[in-house]
């Protein structure tokens, strides 16, 4: 290494060639000292040991949480409770380019309501696709309560692909819930309203305002909701709340609870007591039982009608065909949960201390024997509570939602008023254990708790207010997800996770090994349609095209690429008034080699994952100079990953100016650079020798790095040829610049080599231990 140039030497030192591995001096602080210093108990340590995930470790479950008013979905790991991703769903999310590239704007545009952009959502209940009642990890659905919408998220890349709008509803709290084979995604209206967009006075509430339950047909092959095959079962204006789909013996049915079946309409300003008084005056509300399979057959047979462009099964048709039944449920219930075996439905009333367990078999017997206690004002048969009830259990104050354990008959119910979780036996109606949690629990969730085979293990309590639990950050506090160990007889609180987004309503979890997300897209993919983008280009085919229509409106299409560390093109020239459409394809194949693209003054931010093509379209309405650059620190020369959009005045004539280089290079500069490159190559060869003499093929990650390094070295070779060609012509300026570019690719190669070498050292060391 004596003759090595300085730059190559520092590189060699950087990658540890010729140096012995540094030994780390382990701090002598003992566990006891740390416990004392931080005031930790043995119990704390045990909890920490159950959740702590060492560097590089993975979680057993992934959780998908509603982001409430943030309109997003949050992904985190269990038991570590580390946040992994925020998925933009109803809301723009700039890191992912969501709502900033043309492709995702098209998705958000599907969610327009009556012609208006709605750029927020109130997300409540995520649901994972199921096959035979088991989570299959293919897609995730989530509803928007404020605007009656459902989004489809593809779990192969964790991106939102589709938003559908319910044309009949004006709110949609109850959703999303999937049937056993994801035949349908169920949503229910909450606040009754006219099905049309017309004005209807509140005095006509009973006759012209309606609730309803919508069954969105999911096309599994396409991975999209098929609106034309979806339908709604008309329901009275009873504030339908949440639903759950039957499973096993109850497959083909769904259950929806309701509140305010008083049909009270408030109006403080009209001298009437408020909604809350009138909506909780009766002792019972109604559980709706719907035979959705029969409803679908009736719709297919043309027995429905079209309202506001949607298929509707009217109440009278539903009743005449035994599709819709009501069962009283105690006071202001919230939610209904079908047991994993599909035999029972658990309902809890916020203003009643019991959980009520209904029997599907008893409901069916009552229907078969036409044993009803009467009809509601809309002619829907009512099954008496005692004819449907299996058992009731006194759980505590304000019971809300229920989840299930792997253990037979064991359920967990949140107690909102008590701020507790009750563990109980729903077969026998017996309380088993209770645990105090932090304030204001809403939903709770066990691992795969909605499936036919819940895993138990952990429970997450979703608490709405964090009050005094975390460091204060102003009047708006984070939310609090609390992790509870439910593997033993007694529940044990393990961890508090603050979540700095909207109210957490519900969360679903799935065994992490069921998910198979991709690490790169196929070359030139529009990730929102999963099809090849017509705007994608290959390396070397980059181009800019300007066309004008007969009215003189010109459009500039830029078909560009990104790769470490440059954007092609680096200069874009347009005229004022041009419509500019910049399409960028990330040529990288390497895992996580993301580039971004932001531009001054145009509200543009793209996220370009490997293989992705994304576009930004805008009108260049102002003249000027608009720098653009890569927004991900992708490489050592990331800051140099830049360019200029020049918007020229109309009719601008070039002044015949000459580019003046900031620095002029000589033959000597070129030769120094070449020497550095030759030495650098020697370093690369050493790294390559190290990697190939170790068992690198055992590690897919290293194989990926080596592939990427080989790509980079190929680019280095191309730049080398250009440098030598320029040198042959004695064009020392370009010879030097291309020689430098050749070196840049070498540095990237060496950087990848270093990562591979470090990985091999660490993992082989682990093997020896
Ligand atoms: Cu209880 Cu929307 Cu399910 Cu909130 S909901 S808690
Ligand atoms: Cu690409 Cu920074």
């Amino acid at each position: 290494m004596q003759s090595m140039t300085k730059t190559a030497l520092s590189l060699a030192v950087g990658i540890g060639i010729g140096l012995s591995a540094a030994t780390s001096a382990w701090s002598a602080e003992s566990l006891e000292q740390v416990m004392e210093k931080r005031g930790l108990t043995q119990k704390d340590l045990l909890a920490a040991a159950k959740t702590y995930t060492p560097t590089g470790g993975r979680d057993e479950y992934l959780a998908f949480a509603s982001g409430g008013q943030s309109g997003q979905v949050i992904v985190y790991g269990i038991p570590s409770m580390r946040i992994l991703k925020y998925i933009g769903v109803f809301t723009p999310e700039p890191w992912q380019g969501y709502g900033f590239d043309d492709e995702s704007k098209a998705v958000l545009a599907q969610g327009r309501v009556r012609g208006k952009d709605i750029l927020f959502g109130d997300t409540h209940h995520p649901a994972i696709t199921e096959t035979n009642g088991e989570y299959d990890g293919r897609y995730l659905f989530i509803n928007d309560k404020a605007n009656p919408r459902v989004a489809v998220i593809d779990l192969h890349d964790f991106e939102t692909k589709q938003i559908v709008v319910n044309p009949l509803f004006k709110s949609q709290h109850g959703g999303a819930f999937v049937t056993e084979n994801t035949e349908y995604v169920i949503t229910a209206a909450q606040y009754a309203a006219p099905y049309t967009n017309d004005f209807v006075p509140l005095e006509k509430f009973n006759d012209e305002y309606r609730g309803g339950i919508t069954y969105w047909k999911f096309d599994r092959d396409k991975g999209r909701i098929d609106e034309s095959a979806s339908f709604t079962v008309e329901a009275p204006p009873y504030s339908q709340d949440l639903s759950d789909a039957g499973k096993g013996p109850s497959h083909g049915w769904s259950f929806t609870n309701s509140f305010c079946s008083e049909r009270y309409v408030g109006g403080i300003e009209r001298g009437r007591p408020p909604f809350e008084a009138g909506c909780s005056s009766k002792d019972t509300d109604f559980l709706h039982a719907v035979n959705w399979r029969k409803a679908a057959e009736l719709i297919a047979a043309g027995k429905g009608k079209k309202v506001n462009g949607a298929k509707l099964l009217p109440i009278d048709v539903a009743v005449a065909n035994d599709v819709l039944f009501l069962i009283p449920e105690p006071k202001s219930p919230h939610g209904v949960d079908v047991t994993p075996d599909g035999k029972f439905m658990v309902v809890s009333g916020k203003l009643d201390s019991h959980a009520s367990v209904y029997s599907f078999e008893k409901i069916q017997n009552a229907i078969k024997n036409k044993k009803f206690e009467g009809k509601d004002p809309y002619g829907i048969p009512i099954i008496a509570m005692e004819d449907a009830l299996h058992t009731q259990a006194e759980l505590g104050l304000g019971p809300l939602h229920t989840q299930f354990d792997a253990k037979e008959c064991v359920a967990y119910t949140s107690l909102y008023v008590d701020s507790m979780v009750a563990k109980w036996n729903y077969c026998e109606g017996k309380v088993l254990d209770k645990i105090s949690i932090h304030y204001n629990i809403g939903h709770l969730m066990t691992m795969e708790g909605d499936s036919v085979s819940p895993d138990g293990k952990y429970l997450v309590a979703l608490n709405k207010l964090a009050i005094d639990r975390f460091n204060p950050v102003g009047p708006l506090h984070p939310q609090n997800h609390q992790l509870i160990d439910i593997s033993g007889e007694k529940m044990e609180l393990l961890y508090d996770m603050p979540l700095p987004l909207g109210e957490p309503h519900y969360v679903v979890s799935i065994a992490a090994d069921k998910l198979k997300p991709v690490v790169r897209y196929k070359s030139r993919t529009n990730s929102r349609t999963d099809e090849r983008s017509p705007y994608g280009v290959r390396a070397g085919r980059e181009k800019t095209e300007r066309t004008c229509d007969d009215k003189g409106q010109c459009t500039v299409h830029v078909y560009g690429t990104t790769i470490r560390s440059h954007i092609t093109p680096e200069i874009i020239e347009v005229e004022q008034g041009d419509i500019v459409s910049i399409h960028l394809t990330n040529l990288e194949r390497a895992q996580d080699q993301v580039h971004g693209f932001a531009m001054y003054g145009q509200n543009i931010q793209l996220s370009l994952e490997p293989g992705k093509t994304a576009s930004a379209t805008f009108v260049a309405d102002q003249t000027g100079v608009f720098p653009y650059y890569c927004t991900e620190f992708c490489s050592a020369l990331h800051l140099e990953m830049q360019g200029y959009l020049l918007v020229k005045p109309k009719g601008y004539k070039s002044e015949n100016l000459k580019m003046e280089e900031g620095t002029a290079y000589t033959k000597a500069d070129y030769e120094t650079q070449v020497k550095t490159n030759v030495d650098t190559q020697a370093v690369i060869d050493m790294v390559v020798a190290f990697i190939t003499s170790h068992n690198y093929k055992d590690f897919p990650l290293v194989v990926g790095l080596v592939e990427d390094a080989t790509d980079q070295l190929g680019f280095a070779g191309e730049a080398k040829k250009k440098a030598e060609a320029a040198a042959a012509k004695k064009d020392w300026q370009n010879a030097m610049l291309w020689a430098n570019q050749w070196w840049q690719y070498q540095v990237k190669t060496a950087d990848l080599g270093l990562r591979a070498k470090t990985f091999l050292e660490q993992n082989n060391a682990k093997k020896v231990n």
Side-chain angles (χ1 to χ4, degrees):
M1 253 194 252
Q2 302 139 314
S3 71
M4 199 168 265
T5 48
K6 235 169 131 195
T7 22
L9 182 63
S10 63
L11 186 67
V13 171
I15 60 180
I17 298 291
L19 290 177
S20 62
T23 46
S24 56
W26 184 249
S27 141
E29 209 173 16
S30 73
L31 188 57
E32 285 72 20
Q33 284 169 322
V34 174
M35 283 174 73
E36 196 184 322
K37 198 161 77 187
R38 301 199 66 218
L40 301 175
T41 63
Q42 285 288 344
K43 207 171 157 230
D44 295 333
L45 278 204
L46 190 58
K50 284 181 178 183
T51 56
Y52 177 68
T53 305
T55 178
R58 296 286 194 277
D59 278 300
E60 191 180 354
Y61 291 91
L62 282 201
F64 297 87
S66 71
Q69 310 90 314
S70 77
Q72 303 184 353
V73 163
I74 304 121
V75 187
Y76 60 81
I78 293 175
S80 78
M81 306 301 272
R82 295 178 302 182
I83 294 174
L84 302 171
K85 197 168 225 175
Y86 294 133
I87 305 174
V89 183
F90 297 107
T91 311
E93 201 297 299
W95 170 50
Q96 295 154 57
Y98 189 63
F100 297 89
D101 61 50
D102 296 351
E103 290 78 2
S104 61
K105 280 181 182 171
V107 176
L108 282 166
Q110 296 167 11
R112 280 197 188 128
V113 174
R114 292 161 75 170
K116 276 191 195 167
D117 280 328
I118 308 284
L119 294 181
F120 109 99
D122 187 13
T123 57
H124 277 243
H125 308 97
I128 296 172
T129 42
E130 294 180 14
T131 302
N132 299 322
E134 298 280 5
Y135 295 170
D136 59 32
R138 299 282 312 283
Y139 296 90
L140 183 83
F141 307 100
I142 193 152
N143 70 310
D144 173 10
K145 170 175 172 170
N147 293 281
R149 303 183 292 177
V150 180
V152 180
I153 297 159
D154 192 335
L155 294 179
H156 102 286
D157 61 356
F158 288 50
E159 281 201 351
T160 304
K161 306 287 174 167
Q162 184 187 24
I163 296 175
V164 292
V165 183
N166 195 323
L168 296 174
F169 297 169
K170 307 293 179 279
S171 71
Q172 185 181 257
H173 177 233
F177 306 95
V178 300
T179 57
E180 203 171 76
N181 285 296
T182 325
E183 295 92 343
Y184 292 96
V185 181
I186 306 170
T187 62
Q190 182 134 81
Y191 306 118
Y195 281 157
T196 65
N197 295 339
D198 300 333
F199 163 72
V200 179
L202 276 167
E203 287 76 4
K204 297 188 178 174
F205 188 87
N206 292 345
D207 296 333
E208 295 191 28
Y209 283 50
R210 284 292 177 268
I213 304 154
T214 299
Y215 298 82
W216 299 95
K217 180 79 196 154
F218 186 60
D219 182 333
R220 292 199 71 119
D221 296 332
K222 294 204 178 101
R224 300 290 184 272
I225 285 170
D226 178 355
E227 291 172 85
S228 67
S230 304
F231 64 91
T232 295
V233 173
E234 184 186 16
Y238 291 160
S239 298
Q240 283 78 28
D241 187 38
L242 307 190
S243 306
D244 203 359
K247 45 183 82 145
S250 54
H251 179 51
W253 287 73
S254 69
F255 308 90
T256 304
N257 78 293
S258 65
F259 62 90
C260 205
S261 58
E262 292 88 348
R263 293 178 292 163
Y264 184 72
V265 176
I268 301 171
E269 48 300 297
R270 294 185 186 178
R272 290 160 60 82
F275 271 106
E276 58 176 315
C279 281
S280 56
S281 53
K282 280 202 318 176
D283 279 342
T284 55
D285 288 287
F286 288 122
L287 178 66
H288 301 52
V290 180
N291 184 339
W292 59 256
R293 198 183 270 142
K294 195 173 263 178
E297 287 166 13
L298 292 166
I299 290 287
K303 297 285 164 61
K305 58 178 185 182
K306 266 245 162 117
V307 179
N308 237 17
K311 288 177 179 156
L312 181 78
L313 190 70
I315 291 176
D316 56 343
V317 182
V319 168
N321 290 281
D322 287 349
V323 163
L324 180 59
F325 301 91
L326 299 173
I327 308 153
E329 47 181 11
K331 230 169 159 66
S332 300
H334 187 36
V336 47
D337 295 283
V338 177
T339 56
D341 60 12
K343 290 182 182 164
F344 303 109
M345 293 87 222
V346 182
V347 175
S348 310
K350 300 187 288 286
L351 301 179
D352 182 274
S353 55
H354 295 88
S356 303
V357 184
Y358 294 88
S359 155
F360 182 70
E361 197 182 331
K362 286 188 173 179
I363 293 170
Q364 292 306 307
N365 282 337
I367 292 169
K368 203 161 66 206
N369 301 323
K370 301 209 176 303
K371 188 160 186 280
F372 305 118
E373 66 175 12
K375 287 185 173 191
D376 83 335
Y378 300 87
I380 307 170
I382 301 170
I383 300 168
M385 201 195 297
E386 59 271 22
D387 289 337
L389 213 52
H390 166 70
T391 186
Q392 283 188 314
E394 169 119 37
L395 299 182
L397 298 181
L400 295 184
H401 301 290
T402 297
Q403 279 274 290
F404 303 98
D405 202 332
K407 300 175 197 116
E408 218 172 57
C409 297
V410 175
Y412 300 84
T413 298
S414 51
L415 304 173
Y416 178 80
V417 179
D418 279 343
S419 286
M420 295 184 104
V421 171
K423 175 180 179 180
W424 58 293
N425 180 311
Y426 60 81
C427 298
E428 294 162 22
K430 223 172 53 193
V431 174
L432 304 172
D433 185 29
K434 281 195 190 184
I435 188 171
S436 284
I437 46 86
H438 195 240
Y439 314 107
N440 293 311
I441 182 172
H443 278 270
L444 72 186
M445 184 268 302
T446 56
M447 302 304 100
E448 303 207 344
D450 286 327
S451 72
V452 292
S453 59
D455 289 2
K457 297 186 185 179
Y458 303 103
L459 180 147
V460 178
L462 296 123
N463 307 331
K464 294 172 185 307
L465 305 167
I467 311 179
D468 56 5
R469 194 81 354 173
F470 307 110
N471 293 54
V473 288
L476 183 62
H477 296 249
Q479 317 285 342
N480 184 6
H481 290 217
Q482 290 191 296
L483 183 71
I484 296 166
D485 182 349
I486 56 167
S487 57
E489 291 290 303
K490 305 285 287 170
M491 293 177 274
E492 298 279 354
L493 182 61
L494 297 179
Y495 191 74
D496 283 12
M497 177 183 65
L499 233 170
L501 273 182
E503 184 181 332
H505 291 280
Y506 190 44
V507 49
V508 282
S509 63
I510 179 170
D513 59 13
K514 285 190 184 173
L515 297 170
K516 303 272 181 283
V518 294
V519 297
R520 69 181 69 80
Y521 290 107
K522 280 190 206 138
S523 169
R524 291 163 277 154
T525 297
N526 171 342
S527 69
R528 301 294 164 176
T529 60
D530 291 311
E531 284 162 9
R532 174 163 285 177
S533 170
Y535 303 115
V537 279
R538 274 190 262 235
R541 307 265 180 89
E542 296 89 350
K543 62 184 175 185
T544 298
E545 283 175 355
R546 185 167 187 268
T547 52
C548 303
D549 65 16
D550 41 16
K551 287 188 203 87
Q553 174 66 59
C554 299
T555 304
V556 178
H557 280 280
V558 178
Y559 302 86
T561 59
T562 60
I563 194 157
R564 279 156 290 167
S565 307
H566 52 267
I567 300 165
T568 307
E570 297 188 331
I571 301 163
I572 303 170
E573 295 178 82
V574 305
E575 263 190 24
Q576 184 178 20
D578 285 359
I579 297 168
V580 182
S581 227
I582 299 173
H583 315 284
L584 292 174
T585 298
N586 186 356
L587 298 174
E588 307 278 0
R589 298 188 303 153
Q591 182 165 338
D592 207 15
Q593 200 58 66
V594 179
H595 299 289
F597 180 81
M599 183 185 282
Y600 160 73
Q602 306 289 2
N603 199 33
I604 289 171
Q605 150 58 19
L606 308 180
S607 173
L608 299 157
E609 294 95 84
K612 189 171 178 178
T613 299
S615 310
T617 300
F618 58 97
V619 180
D621 52 354
Q622 294 173 321
T623 61
V625 176
F626 301 80
Y628 53 82
Y629 66 96
C630 168
T631 45
E632 285 273 344
F633 209 108
C634 52
S635 52
L637 290 172
H638 148 79
L639 293 173
E640 291 77 357
M641 201 163 167
Q642 58 169 337
Y644 286 103
L645 167 75
L646 304 170
V647 184
K648 301 182 281 194
K650 263 200 183 338
Y652 170 78
K653 289 273 179 304
S654 159
E655 296 169 43
N656 205 11
L657 301 171
K658 204 170 148 271
M659 273 297 231
E660 278 217 29
E661 304 285 344
T663 310
Y665 299 104
T666 61
K667 182 169 183 240
D669 293 327
Y670 168 70
E671 282 167 352
T672 309
Q673 183 63 53
V674 169
K675 171 132 180 52
T676 302
N677 296 5
V678 170
D679 291 343
T680 303
Q681 191 58 46
V683 176
I684 292 171
D685 292 344
M686 273 187 266
V687 180
V688 170
F690 178 91
I691 294 169
T692 49
S693 66
H694 288 71
N695 49 336
Y696 84 99
K697 286 193 174 147
D698 294 354
F699 303 101
L701 185 114
V702 179
V703 173
L705 289 170
V706 169
E707 263 177 28
D708 190 21
T710 310
D711 283 356
Q712 295 295 333
L713 207 53
F715 299 138
E718 288 164 29
K720 179 172 184 264
K721 276 187 205 143
K722 287 182 182 161
E724 286 165 354
K729 285 191 237 155
K730 299 203 164 31
D731 174 359
W732 303 118
Q733 188 70 11
N734 279 311
M736 161 62 197
L737 289 170
W738 280 115
N740 193 46
Q741 181 63 46
W742 157 20
W743 190 68
Q744 295 308 338
Y745 284 123
Q746 287 182 311
V747 171
K748 286 167 203 141
T749 310
D751 172 51
L752 293 159
L754 162 67
R755 282 199 262 163
K757 181 172 171 281
T758 310
F759 184 93
L760 285 176
E761 281 165 351
Q762 285 170 354
N763 284 274
N764 284 321
K766 253 188 226 165
K767 264 193 190 163
V768 175
N769 287 345

